[in-house]
Amino acid sequence: MKLRSSIGYKIGFGVTITVLVLIVIGVVSTLTVHSQLKDIERVAAGEQLLRAMTDLEASLTRAESAALTFALTGDPLALRGFESTEPEQKDALEEVEAALGTEEHLLVQLPALRRYCTERMGRLTQIMQIAREKGHGDIAKLLVDNQDRQVLDRFYESVNTLRIAQQAELRLLRKQVDGRKNQTYVTLGVEALVAVLMIYTMGRAVVNDLTIPLQRLVAGITQIGEGRLDYRVEISSSDEIGQLGRAFNRMAEQLQQGRGLRLNAEEALQATNAILADRVEALRRKNLEIEEMSRLTELLQTAVRAEEAYQVVASFGERVFPDTCGTLLLTTPSRTLLEAVTNWGEPRSERMFSPEDCWALRRGRAHPAVEPGALHCHHYHEDDQPGNELCIPLVAQGEALGVLCLEGAVIDEQLAITVSEQLSLALANLRLRETLRNQSIRDGLTGLFNRRYLEASLDRELHRSMRNEQPMGVLMIDIDHFKAFNDNFGHDAGDAVLQALGVLLKNSVRAEDIPCRFGGEEFAVLLPGASLEVARERAEKLRAAAQGLSVTSGGRPVGPVSLSIGVAAFPYHGQDGNEVIKVADEALYRAKRAGRNQVQVGLEVAEPAAKA
């Protein structure tokens, strides 16, 4: 028998092609997402450059105002204000240089920008020195010097040149980001369709190769049973079914030649029928396994949540592995334990154990324990009598996802390995989908929901409150003096404060609450079912908890954190979600104007909505 003409080769070839297609899909999806993230980083760098140039303009404007004020009035406060702008300009120029990076077409403007700043600061220093020597009242001619105006004009011209160039580049980058986002969605959809079509085509091809020849064999057996010994089966392949056909034809020839020896012919026919029946039954079971594998692959690829995939595995295991118990275990996020997510039958394996307790995970391949004296994994209960066991690691893209454990008198190892390969790819795809979904609705810095998710959830929760005749509280939160954290400790300190508040919000809300980063240092929390008074109490507890935060950046403690919070509730402050948000926002600004670090409740009160 040639290997390339066997049914096993056809099945293996089909499964291999399917696996390769799924791997290519995973790689293409990963590269697409990585490219999109690179464009987003470039957009952020461009926005940083615009902010740095704005800071440089503002610093030079403050320096000029302070110098002229000192020259005219001799105010020492103006002199100190002038001196404080020099480090600000230095920092702003460094930020501009850092943001430009390797943009050589923009870096050529930087030396001129430095020179204009130096010339203007030197001229302003000269004016103040002349004012000290000649008096503060005789410098009017110096203040309107055309040379000064030319230096300023050149400075603003350089700044505007950089700003216009960077704004144009940002517009182009944003278009690229939007285009890549649409391309990502189209790519994922096309890849999913290709995978489903490939799996369906492979499954149908293998089934057709088995079903039609089997029908011919069954028809031949029927004809021989009816006495037509001249009947021959058409042979179209050289695999196991083709060998069966040739054996059947040889049997028919022998029966036809030895018709006179009916007894021997009948015995030979009965023996051959038994063999054929056994092989047909074996092929029927193999055909069922192929159909079940095709159905399993289809269901796993169409599952949108991991729980659905677990249910599919449990249902499939009971049908394909009869008289066998099984457990599917996945690694925990810490990767120090494996935890059971589904099972069928009554398995003896523990539901949680360390990876070191499983020989399959330690060896990186299937570990059968079916012979006397074989090594049994430690995660099976020691008090139980050892039995036949098979553990198969689930690996996708070089990462161990978990292990599939089977227990029973007879275990089809090759089928189990094929199932584990399909399951590994399906679980890896589900994790990738979940990662992409989280990136679209989560704020990357704090881990909270983003503003897009808040806007999508607001109307849904509002209609649910109306339907259930329940209130809904809304908190608008702002970090007091947040700019001071950035100015005094750097932007890393500001990020640390935002992250600490994100952790506090996640730990302080209920499962049904929706905490979001609204924008910048402003946050929002939806409290379904919470009345206005309950929302105010929750806001007070949150404000008090924020004062107890201990935030450090670079090993240095960052000053105390305080919050200003505005509170509103449906239906007391409006019948529309945007109205309630607006009232809460106005209450927030009243809290800031009243001295910060306090909670204010919205003043506008609307008539309660009619019962739905």
Side-chain angles (χ1 to χ4, degrees), residues 9 17 81 158 285 359 426 602:
Y9 174 80
I17 292 298
S158 297
R285 289 196 301 267
W359 282 102

Side-chain angles (χ1 to χ4, degrees), residues 327-330 338-343 349-353:
T327 306
L328 173 63
L329 302 103
L330 299 181
L338 288 103
E339 184 176 6
V341 295
T342 189
N343 66 275
S349 174
E350 296 179 0
R351 296 187 62 81
M352 181 177 290
F353 55 84

